[in-house]
Amino acid sequence: MLELNQKEWDAFSNIFVFRSVPKKCRLTDAGEIAREAYFINKGLARLYFLKEGEEINANFVFENGFITSFESFLLQNQSRQVVETLEESELLVLRKHKLDELTKAFPKFNIFNKIMAEQAFFMLQRRASSFILDSAEQRYLDMVQQRPNILERIPQHMIASYLGVTPVSLSRIRKRISGE
Amino acid sequence: MLELNQKEWDAFSNIFVFRSVPKKCRLTDAGEIAREAYFINKGLARLYFLKEGEEINANFVFENGFITSFESFLLQNQSRQVVETLEESELLVLRKHKLDELTKAFPKFNIFNKIMAEQAFFMLQRRASSFILDSAEQRYLDMVQQRPNILERIPQHMIASYLGVTPVSLSRIRKRISGE
DNA sequence: CCATTTCATTATCAAAAGATAATAAATCAC
DNA sequence: GTGATTTATTATCTTTTGATAATGAAATGG
């Protein structure tokens, strides 16, 4: 799909910079422009909204995943979401202006941009339709099936807002399920 | 952003085909591959899920808008959504394989693909966050503000599922609002 | 044009979820 | 290690929403 010669590959790998960060490190704050996107080599990060001081989790991203406030990164406007590590992490940092330079030098990388936008869309599409079509209980069951590492590595009250319910309600859902 | 010479412009405009369709015309069915996307010249179409026989509206698209089952169109897999006109419509039809041919001939059009994926993402992002952050009542108020043509041209029971509530519940929301 | 169907509202009842508080368990900081 | 904080569960109460049915209004289709 994206076949690169040596020169292109060098240019591509050079736009990523390694960075080590502690846990609870805010990589992008709400209101600020997401000038970077992060490939997670080791560790774990989350994306969340702030609503009246309350944190509402939109996504959790693990090893080999890619995280950023996509809308802000793509449009370079103020982010409505926060990107924050949950564990000590090792990141490959992609800077937007570097990516733009690369795309200018090698138009072929427009395909990379396309793939990034598409992936962000597909991810969101799956999530949005589960909110539209399924109950919170079904969403929880699907999550356990499809993303078991969330259950293992994320505290329950954070999972609650990810599923769109209160921590109390999630606890009730779990009880309901276990008693069946 | 996408500057074209005469040849490119000709090639681009040639991939669109005009089509007139009656109302309630199914342009893409669930389970079928969306081989086309539609620019709406005149008329109105909607995108909806089928859940146990029930239609759950995901979007309404008016004149000068672009509609397709994006995931299916982009990946050429089975669509989980239906595309259907609500009024007699005039469409500019874009066939996927034509677009692929164009992109192959003029790699520049990768930017078009990128923009399409981005737009689909931004639209969905706005909608998904309203489901996560706002109440159905707030969603209704926002809709009245930002997309008043929905209220004017779409029957209320279809708006209900678009907002994620039952028709009865939407009727209650409207009563609550009017009595304030 | 009229019969039939669809649509929006309202009432009633049941189920689910939020708010709040109490408690016990787990985790964290020093 | 221990005191303080955070977290998960449970109980109680309230609010919201859904399910269902009834009604009148509007739209539809021969």
Side-chain angles (χ1 to χ4, degrees):
Chain A
M1 170 142 264
L2 187 57
E3 280 155 31
L4 306 177
N5 61 34
Q6 190 59 46
K7 204 169 147 195
E8 289 161 347
W9 180 251
D10 286 350
F12 181 66
S13 50
N14 268 321
I15 64 172
F16 287 94
V17 176
F18 183 88
R19 188 187 302 165
S20 252
V21 294
K23 67 175 159 180
K24 289 193 185 176
C25 175
R26 285 203 171 185
L27 299 166
T28 301
D29 222 323
E32 142 190 339
I33 295 170
R35 299 189 199 281
E36 302 175 339
Y38 311 92
F39 179 82
I40 298 183
N41 196 41
K42 187 166 172 300
L44 162 55
R46 65 176 172 139
L47 185 69
Y48 63 89
F49 290 92
L50 280 170
K51 187 196 176 189
E52 295 148 28
E54 201 190 348
E55 300 174 355
I56 311 221
N57 294 289
N59 205 7
F60 305 106
V61 178
F62 299 83
E63 280 84 3
N64 300 318
F66 197 65
I67 191 172
T68 186
S69 174
F70 279 102
E71 187 173 346
S72 175
F73 182 78
L74 293 172
L75 291 178
Q76 292 292 285
N77 62 8
Q78 291 202 344
S79 177
R80 300 192 299 138
Q81 299 169 306
V82 180
V83 179
E84 188 179 290
T85 55
L86 281 172
E87 299 176 2
E88 195 179 358
S89 301
E90 294 172 5
L91 311 169
L92 291 173
V93 181
L94 170 62
R95 293 195 65 92
K96 181 64 158 68
H97 82 268
K98 285 271 190 186
L99 177 61
D100 289 345
E101 277 171 28
L102 181 76
T103 309
K104 213 162 197 173
F106 304 96
K108 177 187 281 192
F109 284 101
N110 266 313
I111 298 181
F112 179 77
N113 284 283
K114 183 194 111 176
I115 292 173
M116 189 161 67
E118 274 183 8
Q119 290 308 313
F121 173 77
F122 297 144
M123 235 179 49
L124 192 60
Q125 170 88 313
R126 224 166 305 135
R127 188 161 153 71
S129 36
S130 78
F131 265 85
I132 293 166
L133 299 173
D134 304 326
S135 66
E137 183 167 330
Q138 190 55 52
R139 245 182 342 270
Y140 177 78
L141 290 168
D142 290 349
M143 187 199 75
V144 172
Q145 275 283 321
Q146 291 158 29
R147 306 192 60 187
N149 46 6
I150 288 185
L151 206 59
E152 289 155 18
R153 290 168 74 179
I154 312 279
Q156 199 168 305
H157 66 282
M158 287 191 185
I159 296 176
S161 72
Y162 175 70
L163 295 174
V165 294
T166 59
V168 174
S169 189
L170 177 56
S171 178
R172 286 193 280 230
I173 286 171
R174 284 163 54 86
K175 190 181 183 184
R176 214 180 303 150
I177 289 167
S178 70
E180 269 168 15
Chain B
M1 171 140 262
L2 187 55
E3 281 155 29
L4 306 178
N5 62 33
Q6 190 60 44
K7 204 168 146 195
E8 288 161 348
W9 179 251
D10 285 351
F12 183 66
S13 51
N14 268 320
I15 63 171
F16 287 94
V17 175
F18 183 86
R19 188 187 302 165
S20 252
V21 293
K23 67 174 159 181
K24 290 193 185 175
C25 175
R26 285 203 171 184
L27 299 165
T28 302
D29 221 322
E32 145 190 337
I33 295 169
R35 301 189 196 283
E36 304 176 337
Y38 310 92
F39 179 80
I40 297 183
N41 195 42
K42 187 164 170 301
L44 161 56
R46 65 176 171 140
L47 185 69
Y48 63 88
F49 290 91
L50 280 170
K51 187 196 174 187
E52 294 148 28
E54 202 190 349
E55 300 175 354
I56 311 221
N57 294 289
N59 205 7
F60 304 106
V61 179
F62 299 83
E63 280 85 4
N64 299 318
F66 196 66
I67 190 172
T68 185
S69 174
F70 279 102
E71 187 173 345
S72 175
F73 182 79
L74 293 172
L75 291 178
Q76 292 291 285
N77 61 11
Q78 290 203 344
S79 177
R80 299 192 300 137
Q81 298 169 307
V82 180
V83 180
E84 188 179 290
T85 55
L86 281 172
E87 299 177 1
E88 197 179 356
S89 301
E90 294 172 5
L91 310 169
L92 291 173
V93 181
L94 170 63
R95 292 194 66 92
K96 180 64 159 66
H97 82 268
K98 285 270 189 186
L99 177 61
D100 289 345
E101 276 171 30
L102 182 76
T103 309
K104 213 162 197 172
F106 303 96
K108 178 187 278 191
F109 283 101
N110 267 313
I111 296 181
F112 179 77
N113 285 283
K114 182 194 112 177
I115 292 173
M116 189 162 68
E118 276 183 9
Q119 290 306 314
F121 173 77
F122 297 144
M123 236 179 49
L124 191 60
Q125 170 88 310
R126 223 167 305 135
R127 186 160 155 72
S129 36
S130 79
F131 265 85
I132 294 167
L133 299 172
D134 304 327
S135 66
E137 183 167 332
Q138 190 56 51
R139 242 180 347 268
Y140 177 77
L141 290 168
D142 290 350
M143 188 200 73
V144 172
Q145 276 282 323
Q146 291 158 30
R147 308 193 60 187
N149 45 6
I150 288 185
L151 206 59
E152 290 155 18
R153 290 169 74 181
I154 313 279
Q156 198 168 305
H157 67 281
M158 287 193 186
I159 296 177
S161 73
Y162 175 70
L163 294 173
V165 294
T166 58
V168 174
S169 189
L170 176 56
S171 179
R172 287 193 281 230
I173 287 171
R174 284 162 54 86
K175 190 181 184 185
R176 214 181 303 150
I177 289 167
S178 70
E180 267 167 21

